[in-house]
Amino acid sequence: MTKERSNDMTAANPAEPVAIVGMAVRLPGARTVDEFWQNLVDGVSAVRDFTDEELAAAGVDERLRAQPGYVARGVPLEGVDRFDADFFGYTPQEARVTDPQHRVFLETCWRALEDAGTVPRSGDATIGVFASSSMSTYLLNNILRDEQEGAPNSAPTELSYPVLIGNDKDFLATRVSYKLGLTGPSQTVQSACSSSLVALHQAAAALRGGECDVALAGGVSITVPQHSGYLHKEGGIASPDGHCRPFDAAAGGTVRGNGAGVVVLKRLADALADRDRIYAVVRGSAVTNDGSDKIGFTAPGVRGQARAVSAALAAAGTPADEIGYVEAHGTGTAIGDPIEIRALSMAHDGTRECALGSVKANLGHLDAAAGIVGLIKTALVLHHQTVPPQINFSAVNPLIPLERSRYVVHTDKHLPAEPITAAAVSSFGLGGTNGHCVLGRHVAAERRREPAGEPYLLLLSARGPEALVRQAERLRGHLEQARPRLDDLALTLGTGRTHWTERLALVAGSLDEALAGLDAFLAGGGRAGDHPAARDFVAGGSVAPELLGDLGAAVKTVLPGYPLEPRSHWIEPAPREAAPAPAPAAAPAAPGADTGELLAEVVAVLQQLLGIDGIGPDDDFFDLGGDSLTAVDAASLLSQRYHVEVDFEAFADRRTPGGIAEYLTELVHGTAEYSAMVRVREGEGPHLFLIYPAGGTNFCYFRLAEHLDFDGPLTAFAYPRELGDGPVTIRQLAALYIERMRAVQPHGPYRLAGYSFGGNLAFEVALQLQRAGEGVSGLYLFDAHPPEAYVGESLTEQEFLVALPQMIASVMPDAGIRRDAAPPRSMAEVAEVLRTRPDWLPAGEEEFLRFVRIWRRNHEALKGYYPDGKVSGPVVVFDAEQPHPEEEVAVLRIKLLSKDYWRSHVDGEMSVVPVPGNHYTMFTDLALVPRLAAAFQAVLDGRGA
């Protein structure tokens, strides 16, 4: 169905409007909706730095903290260990084994019902619960670890029913229903980041379907430990500096937030009849899924998002041009934000200016609670007719054409010249479930008449005498500051609050009389006075609404909530044992320290591996038929025999037995210096820098160089060993290589080439050089897939290993590994596969496994990379005429796209040159390498592009 037809059909019969009559939040720096709104208007960021003491207390290892990508920032929620167990009917032990998410959500539901003036257990209405939460890290980090470590003085906390019920998402909604006595439908709703907005969608449907009279909808996300920070991974959702910058040019990801939000919903007609205060009206909402119409499971889908927006507008019967504010999903990722704005533009055919915002800049990503907190903000925008400033925004993301759209981002508090009558909120879940909701402004039908001036009965109660005093103190402070209408006060206290056993009843004809009555009680006075209904109430009776006073024009109002008494109910995780410090390595023996003896040993090893006699000291290893696999074997054998680490990139750099023997001598005497730069061929003038493919080795370029007539030096990079086994990013590698390039060629113009992964890395090197003011006279990409091909979900080690036999068979056709071989299930199993080969040397296992690990690490870096600028050119892409094997790219989650996709990343001249072979054989097939070299030579000579 087309968008136009869908809108026409639904606009004539829009969904029954649903009123938001109550809201509550529990957020960093905001325990109330009013505090939350004030923080938004003031442009407050809840992100803060963690101290070393906090990180240590959270169990963050010092070695992790010392890593360059570690971000010691977060958005902690105060008091997650504290809970009023007695008030909500928990035993202390039951509270201790209950996830703080469950506890905070229950409390927030109670607060939302208080805000709505809706009394649970009253029997007047059927109340449903639609709830969402994140995974229970409290179970994993505190309860189970405590049990596994056998922490002293801890009660048994194995996976018993109390632990299961207190931590599993399945029981989040039903536990609220049980504890508060709610008898409507009770469902936990999970769709990742969009969960709580989907919960609201289902709650509204239940109301319209008559399944309940009132519905609670919301979500919670609390991660423990609260002060742990995280290790940033390039291209992941996590921000490199702990700040989220939606729509901004510097957007690099989000930071995980903590908190909860709940709204109370009623059918609009019922809310008006019940004299509820209405924040906004849910006109319509919609939920879609991307299906497979996207690059990967976790990637966003522009068409699925657009369908959700269009369907919600249709359900609401609201034209897009009426929408004056959109609270975006806005995670602050370089790719996600542009896709979202594109989807929004596809669905919005209006021209009226529309403000954009994202609360994630203030609070981080609240995961399962993100949608509902965004909706609460949007309802407040309509209620207050104010757009809060969008913090962390200075320059628009270059991939978002904001200046050509109807959307605007306000960095200061904005008071619209015309009322915002409709607004919308989006929430998109990892996995493709998209939620969009359209809200309308609610305006009271007519001006209310003033109270008649007759006395009103004000009812107050608590569970105990001390709590009643605190109730009176809080109410007095509120009355003095807010100055509500007396009839609104009487209606809310009389019909919108649970009446406990300890009671106070005041008779007042004005607000000043009410304050005086509270003062008298707080000074030790009586609780009822002479009013008969007041005496009946204090004695435990009920009061009919008509006895409260003239309520003809009254509506429910905001009042302080019940004074809960939270105490710490917490299981501290057992401390992790510090990893033992590595023992100092024993000084190895250094046999054969004489270069002559070492040369004889090198020759013997090479003759054994190559099956050639009479190798001389100046013979070139590669001219003799050596390849990357043989180099791995040779380097590993020499490492074992001489108790040193022979780097096989340096081995390739020295090339001849004499050069390799000199290198061994340096290693034995401790004078060798490692360099990830290898001179493929000497020459004069500017270098041609060659960047390795995903496996981290540069051997492919040695064979290519044999057929090139190039005067300048050919300098190849290899994967730098000093980076270790940790995660890497494309931008991090590019910055490292620029530093090394400048050591041999301080200034441009530079020429760069890269094969496969190396092409993408070379592109980022060019971008960074351009930003530094350096020229790039040539960028050559050998069958490098465009960045769009990689966007999507990361691979686990097992998933990567599934593709390994195909990749190794392609890259190393002589390795003896069949393309259809059963995939190994672990790296250990890879080694077992190697041991079954009669010609495989055990010495090569470690280097081969390192090769596989580097390949996976680089592939993960590609999955998280997207260029943040354009290269000025010239750029030449050498495109293999035969496609990349489909079965391999499917497993690796690479999308086969035309190399023309690169054009959107190039600002200047770009050409695509077809070359024979496929992604691998263009370099591995000895008959095809000269043809690739000829095409490359023609481009270098200015004849082929």
Side-chain angles (χ1 to χ4, degrees), residues 421-437:
T421 57
V425 57
S426 293
S427 190
F428 304 134
L430 203 71
T433 296
N434 309 302
H436 191 77
C437 182

Side-chain angles (χ1 to χ4, degrees), residues 797-798 801 804 822-836 848-849:
E797 180 179 286
Q798 279 193 325
L801 292 176
L804 188 64
R825 290 167 294 184
S826 66
M827 293 299 287
E829 205 165 290
V830 173
E832 289 299 322
V833 171
L834 298 178
R835 293 187 188 111
T836 64
F848 183 82
L849 294 178

Side-chain angles (χ1 to χ4, degrees), residues 61-95:
D61 191 281
E62 288 185 13
R63 290 168 295 184
L64 177 60
R65 284 183 259 161
Q67 291 199 33
Y70 186 74
V71 181
R73 285 192 178 120
V75 193
L77 182 66
E78 303 86 355
V80 296
D81 64 315
R82 301 177 68 78
F83 179 61
D84 193 337
D86 182 62
F87 181 84
F88 290 107
Y90 282 75
T91 67
Q93 174 61 10
E94 189 180 19

Side-chain angles (χ1 to χ4, degrees), residues 506-526:
L506 304 174
V507 179
S510 69
L511 207 56
D512 289 338
E513 288 183 13
L515 289 167
L518 288 169
D519 287 339
F521 166 71
L522 293 171

Side-chain angles (χ1 to χ4, degrees), residues 883-903:
H884 199 141
E886 289 188 16
E887 65 274 16
E888 179 184 313
V889 295
V891 174
L892 291 173
R893 300 194 186 117
I894 301 172
K895 199 167 185 177
L896 283 178
L897 300 174
S898 166
K899 300 302 190 298
D900 284 325
Y901 269 75
W902 277 109
R903 296 187 188 277

